Amino acid sequence: MAFAYAAFFLLVICIFNPASSQQSNSTLIGLGFSISTNIHPTSWRSPSGTFAFGFYPQGSGFIVGIWLVCKPADIITWTAFRDDPPVPLNATLELTGNGKLLLRTYYANNGAGEEKLVANIERSASHARMFDSGNLVLYNEHSDVIWESFKFPTDTLLGGQNLSEGGELISSASTTNSSTGRFHLKMQIDGNLVSYPIDTIDTSVDAYWNTATFDSSVTNLYLNYTGGLLILSNDSNITVFSSDSKSESSSIIYRATLEYDGIFRLYSHNFDSNGAFTTSLVYYEPKNQCEVKSFCGLNSYCTMNDNQPYCSCLPGTVFVNPNQRNKGCKRNYTEELCKVAEETSSYKITDMEKMRWDDFPYSTNSMSEEDCRKSCLQDCNCAGAQYVSGDCKKVKFPVKYAKRVADDSSKVFFKVGLKSIQRSSNRSIAAAMKPPVVRKTSKKTVVLICVMSVAFITCSSIAIAVSGFFISRSRAVKARMRKNVETNVSTPEEVELCIWAYEVLVARELDKLDLGVDVDLENFEKMVMVGIWCIQDEPGIRPSMKSVVSMLEGITGVSVPPNPTSASTSA
């Protein structure tokens, strides 16, 4: 029993104090030591030369970090100031005489330069060591550890390193850009190891992979020296991945990285006596790239083609950047256009099967499948609707977590802007808001006639109703007309009703008509003007149905129309 306790005690020492157990495999960095970007060496290497800390070339300058020295390309395992611009030439790293690890940068417009603390420590360091494990450690005068890079991982864990409770790995932006990327892996306080897209509130809906390990005691993710991934707690040890290797080897380095694509991968790097090495992928999660939420960006979905992920835009959207398809998609119509344009002429609904999303719907109602389509079509907020078991679940833009599901029976409806709307949204908005100006361009006129044909049917109905009103009063009007309205014709039968109504309107003498009923003059005048707009001989200046409704409801003002025969006469 005593032996078991002793063994456990030694294991804890190796896990939580790796720096002090490996000092024989480290390079000493004393006070006053410094390196520079323009004078070799530009880094401090570990004794075997396997790892280096210093300036690593990236872009137009350098980053400050630790890397695994490999050929043909080194592998960055830790980065300082990862979201700062590249360090320019003429920069230095120094463990100063007062025990601070400083980055000094000098710019042409700033002779004094700029200083940044690489290690934010309260006490002064007496020296530092770079270990063959890839760990950079600072010590005080009593050789106590006061800071180490293993405690502040960026996107990588190395053999002997742990990710403490509440800690996280954050992916890099790309294979060549070590700044903050789009995904993170969290060792949660509930004992669960979970992957999320960045910039989320980290709910179960946002998660795309987890170990389903729950423990109320303090937990840590630990990568041991034989390539095993363990979740350690006060109560138990849970194996996430068990390596085939049974013994520690100085020639094998294990590296677990949350990579730029959101997948957590464990590699082994096997070095031979000549310094050459082979890299093997020994474990990764999730297994399918398309399981990584937001991999393709907003308003898109992922499919696998020949074992490679392929990003596609949802119907009704186009790529933000066609050359970078994982940057997501944007809708091909504007909300402003939706609010003023006629729905049935501006949009259509596209159906997709074996598709679903994990986004929370803003509206869920029981209805038929056809009613679900219509509900989304007529709702400016609706990007798409998912129809499942009689429920219509509508979501807004942006759609974050759409995906293809091979065995799913639900249907999804997407609102798609028509091409005519895409080509000229501003012109379409103007056309819907007010009667358009006629331009003598024959092709445009033909297009306008086609677009306005549906609206003309409704407008004609209104015109007939207005005309009917006048006809119903025609006998009374004939008897009173000569007394109440001056005309230049001998009899009323010789005047067409539409022209006569226009002349009365322009003369502002509608109030002189004795129609035998109480009439709201303002509304009556509005109806007459709308009716005359709708019966214009020139189709191009007739208002759309949407504009007619807006004018009658008082949303849009009604201007005095031209003489209904003037356009044809002048032509």
Side-chain angles (χ1 to χ4, degrees), residues 304-486:
M304 296 297 293
N305 294 329
D306 296 328
N307 294 322
Q308 294 297 318
Y310 184 81
C311 294
S312 302
C313 285
L314 295 175
T317 68
V318 294
F319 284 111
V320 173
N321 184 344
N323 298 321
Q324 293 181 293
R325 299 171 73 95
N326 65 347
K327 297 297 184 182
C329 306
K330 59 184 178 180
R331 55 182 168 180
N332 63 357
Y333 60 92
T334 65
E335 185 177 354
E336 290 75 14
L337 179 59
C338 175
K339 288 179 179 178
V340 300
E342 173 54 38
E343 302 291 353
T344 55
S345 64
S346 304
Y347 310 101
K348 67 177 181 179
I349 290 293
T350 296
D351 294 9
M352 290 189 75
E353 295 184 350
K354 301 186 184 304
M355 171 74 73
R356 69 184 312 154
W357 49 65
D358 294 330
D359 301 61
F360 283 117
Y362 70 88
S363 172
T364 300
N365 291 293
S366 297
M367 61 182 70
S368 69
E369 185 177 311
E370 185 58 31
D371 285 343
C372 186
R373 287 190 183 91
K374 291 179 180 178
S375 178
C376 185
L377 182 65
Q378 296 168 359
D379 185 349
C380 283
N381 291 320
C382 184
Q386 185 176 352
Y387 191 72
V388 185
S389 303
D391 287 336
C392 183
K393 302 179 178 181
K394 297 191 291 186
V395 295
K396 299 179 181 181
F397 279 111
V399 179
K400 296 194 293 185
Y401 302 142
K403 59 183 177 181
R404 282 283 197 184
V405 182
D407 57 351
D408 191 79
S409 60
S410 64
K411 288 187 176 181
V412 173
F413 313 129
F414 292 99
K415 182 186 291 182
V416 179
L418 301 178
K419 290 183 179 179
S420 59
I421 301 300
Q422 296 174 35
R423 283 197 296 266
S424 182
S425 60
N426 290 336
R427 251 197 321 268
S428 300
I429 294 173
M433 291 295 291
K434 62 181 181 180
V437 178
V438 177
R439 301 191 184 278
K440 294 184 178 180
T441 304
S442 59
K443 290 183 179 180
K444 291 185 179 180
T445 303
V446 172
V447 173
L448 266 173
I449 292 172
C450 294
V451 172
M452 302 299 289
S453 60
V454 175
F456 173 66
I457 295 173
T458 302
C459 291
S460 298
S461 299
I462 296 174
I464 291 171
V466 175
S467 300
F469 183 87
F470 281 103
I471 291 172
S472 67
R473 302 292 177 181
S474 60
R475 289 192 178 94
V477 170
K478 290 176 188 175
R480 299 178 178 88
M481 185 175 173
R482 295 186 180 273
K483 294 187 296 180
N484 299 327
V485 181
E486 293 185 5

Side-chain angles (χ1 to χ4, degrees), residues 33 71 119 136 173 215 228 230 281 296 393 418 424 439 452 469-470 504-505:
F33 283 32
K71 291 182 180 180
L136 174 68
D215 196 312
L230 306 172
L281 175 63
C296 287
K393 302 179 178 181
L418 301 178
S424 182
R439 301 191 184 278
M452 302 299 289
F469 183 87
F470 281 103
V504 173
L505 172 69

Side-chain angles (χ1 to χ4, degrees), residues 74-145:
D74 299 328
I75 299 170
I76 297 171
T77 59
W78 181 80
T79 309
F81 319 117
R82 67 185 306 193
D83 292 320
D84 286 0
V87 175
L89 289 172
N90 200 26
T92 62
L93 277 169
E94 181 182 0
L95 184 59
T96 65
N98 60 357
K100 305 296 182 184
L101 185 58
L102 283 181
L103 167 67
R104 289 193 176 97
T105 54
Y106 299 92
Y107 300 91
N109 59 352
N110 185 357
E114 181 182 0
E115 294 184 348
K116 293 180 182 179
L117 283 172
V118 176
N120 191 4
I121 52 178
E122 295 180 358
R123 293 175 291 176
S124 298
S126 65
H127 63 281
R129 290 184 181 272
M130 184 65 222
F131 287 92
D132 277 334
S133 63
N135 193 13
L136 174 68
V137 184
L138 273 61
Y139 300 88
N140 64 14
E141 67 276 13
H142 303 297
S143 294
D144 297 325
V145 176

Side-chain angles (χ1 to χ4, degrees), residues 14-192:
C14 291
I15 292 172
F16 295 103
N17 196 16
S20 60
S21 65
Q22 303 178 64
Q23 287 202 17
S24 59
N25 295 320
S26 63
T27 296
L28 178 67
I29 303 168
L31 299 181
F33 283 32
S34 67
I35 52 176
S36 174
T37 55
N38 51 14
I39 300 175
H40 287 280
T42 58
S43 64
W44 287 304
R45 292 202 174 194
S46 64
S48 67
T50 305
F51 285 93
F53 165 68
F55 295 106
Y56 186 85
Q58 188 171 95
S60 59
F62 300 85
I63 62 169
V64 176
I66 298 171
W67 60 93
L68 179 62
V69 180
C70 302
K71 291 182 180 180
D74 299 328
I75 299 170
I76 297 171
T77 59
W78 181 80
T79 309
F81 319 117
R82 67 185 306 193
D83 292 320
D84 286 0
V87 175
L89 289 172
N90 200 26
T92 62
L93 277 169
E94 181 182 0
L95 184 59
T96 65
N98 60 357
K100 305 296 182 184
L101 185 58
L102 283 181
L103 167 67
R104 289 193 176 97
T105 54
Y106 299 92
Y107 300 91
N109 59 352
N110 185 357
E114 181 182 0
E115 294 184 348
K116 293 180 182 179
L117 283 172
V118 176
N120 191 4
I121 52 178
E122 295 180 358
R123 293 175 291 176
S124 298
S126 65
H127 63 281
R129 290 184 181 272
M130 184 65 222
F131 287 92
D132 277 334
S133 63
N135 193 13
L136 174 68
V137 184
L138 273 61
Y139 300 88
N140 64 14
E141 67 276 13
H142 303 297
S143 294
D144 297 325
V145 176
I146 58 175
W147 184 91
E148 57 181 306
S149 60
F150 269 20
K151 295 293 186 183
F152 304 92
T154 48
D155 63 353
T156 296
L157 294 180
L158 296 168
Q161 187 173 3
N162 67 83
L163 183 65
S164 59
E165 180 181 87
E168 63 181 355
L169 301 180
I170 302 177
S171 67
S172 292
S174 70
T175 55
T176 57
N177 184 349
S178 59
S179 61
T180 297
R182 299 189 295 143
F183 308 97
H184 63 148
L185 177 71
K186 292 183 67 174
M187 185 67 253
Q188 298 185 163
I189 59 175
D190 61 3
N192 200 12

